[in-house]
Amino acid sequence: MTDRAWFDAAKGDIPQWAASMPKDADGTTIDWDWVRSLDLAHGVGTIPESTPQSIHDALKADYATREHLESIIAQCNSTFMTDYDRFIGSYRLPRALAYANRRLNDNINTLLHLGEQQHLWVVSRERRGRTTVAVLRPYSGSRPSNDDQGMLNLSGETGDASAGNTAAENSDVKFPTTVALDDIQDRTAAILDARAERRKAQRFQKRAGDAAMARANLSGATSPGGAALPGGAAASGNATGHHPKPDWRDAYLPGRDVDAVMGIDIETTGIDPARDYIIDVGFEFMNMASPRPAGEPETYAYEQGYYAAGDAYGQSRLAFGVPPENAALGNALIAKLTGIDVRGRSSEAGYRLFDEWPQAQAGLLARLTQQPYVAHNATFEHSWFMLNVAGYAESYRAGRITIIDTLPMSRQWDPGAVPTNEHPYGDNTLDAYAKRQGALDSAHNERHLGLEDSHIMLVAMKHHLAALKAQRKGPWGPAGRAGVGGKSCGRKR
């Protein structure tokens, strides 16, 4: 188990956060006394009696708690990164809130499963807007009293009924208890959509203000006709003549002096670092320009026998676990994608949880800071490290971490990444990029394991950079830049 003292230290930071962040990501005033009252170390979920109404009430309470926590967590990143006076010294409070929220999310999923077992509802996972949510519908073996209101008649007696029974088969069952479904629906999609609309409106207002400044010639004294607005320059383009528009991801492009890097890839139980767990981390090192260091082992055994270490060195594969509640529910999607069955990864089976293992976090942070790290769609790894690795956010804010992303390399510099009907921005998955750059045979697919995916990513990056240098494109083209490149907070270009 983790040292629980850091939760107390995290709560000790509340005055700093309260002074800098009065409102959450949804514009609601934060009740910091409520945050202070939470038992972050031991759980913030509700454990109900096993009765229909108790399960309903517990789920409703847990949804409300999760919404409050996640709206706070969502605001912490921008507050911390724009705290230029460094009033907030540590990011451990958001990490502690995320730690508690993951266990709360497990509790919610357990309640959803318990409700299904007791025939209170049927759960379907559906894509809604920007996320996937759990949608509750009346159990098919019952008779809803009012479908429009989402009400379900229940009793504690279900006889031999099973989840597959039809209404006809259970027509003799009486359901005197009424439990509402409309007030226990997952509101995550609606919350995220509303949040995105507010950001969109804010961006529109900013662009309008910038345009007005430019027309009034207040933003550039040397431009008599009004200063050009940002983003007007064309990207360097690729060999096909397709010129992708500049994108915020371009900040993660490498420079022409990049050399020693660490490639990293993580596998998780889902896509939300405030709800899900890191279960697999793989990383290795490779030099993009200089020779492979002497003295490093010459071979390494990847899961795929057709992978050759080549110029890679310092490979590492780390496996982590999940809490018993998470393991008990299983995760068929992740098992199919990665081959990792979380049912065998319980902490009770001896697996350590990454967010409860300070030594593992410290070891990974040391590696992330010693040279640029490379990931494909690096903002994914970055968001998980922010809420899982002690000291990462502080190191990133201080400019000690440089991130390079092969996704914008594929978008901007790969001739094969042309827009199609199926892929409007080009096919820029790691699988497609690695195959185009000769790092993955067309007969095989991306493995979705940390180390193997890190390897094909670095091989593809090295092949790609060599081709770009020979063609005087990419970092060596007119829009290229000297230096290592990549994204590093607080560093001037």
Side-chain angles (χ1 to χ4, degrees), residues 2-70:
T2 186
D3 178 6
R4 305 294 179 177
W6 78 275
F7 291 98
D8 295 332
K11 284 189 176 182
D13 297 338
I14 286 178
Q16 302 170 18
W17 285 94
S20 301
M21 196 174 86
K23 295 186 177 181
D24 61 25
D26 299 315
T28 303
T29 299
I30 298 172
D31 183 351
W32 287 106
D33 288 334
W34 174 78
V35 176
R36 191 177 286 107
S37 73
L38 297 173
D39 187 351
L40 302 177
H42 298 100
V44 296
T46 305
I47 307 299
E49 298 177 4
S50 189
T51 64
Q53 193 62 44
S54 295
I55 295 171
H56 166 280
D57 293 347
L59 182 59
K60 183 177 180 179
D62 282 0
Y63 270 151
T65 300
R66 189 176 72 177
E67 289 175 9
H68 289 319
L69 278 177
E70 291 183 349

Side-chain angles (χ1 to χ4, degrees), residues 15 30 115 162 215 217 255 260 266 286 291 314 363 370 397 422 440 464:
I30 298 172
S162 66
R215 285 193 296 270
N217 197 28
I266 63 175
M286 188 177 289
Q370 69 185 23
R397 188 175 68 171
E422 185 179 0
L440 184 62
H464 196 186

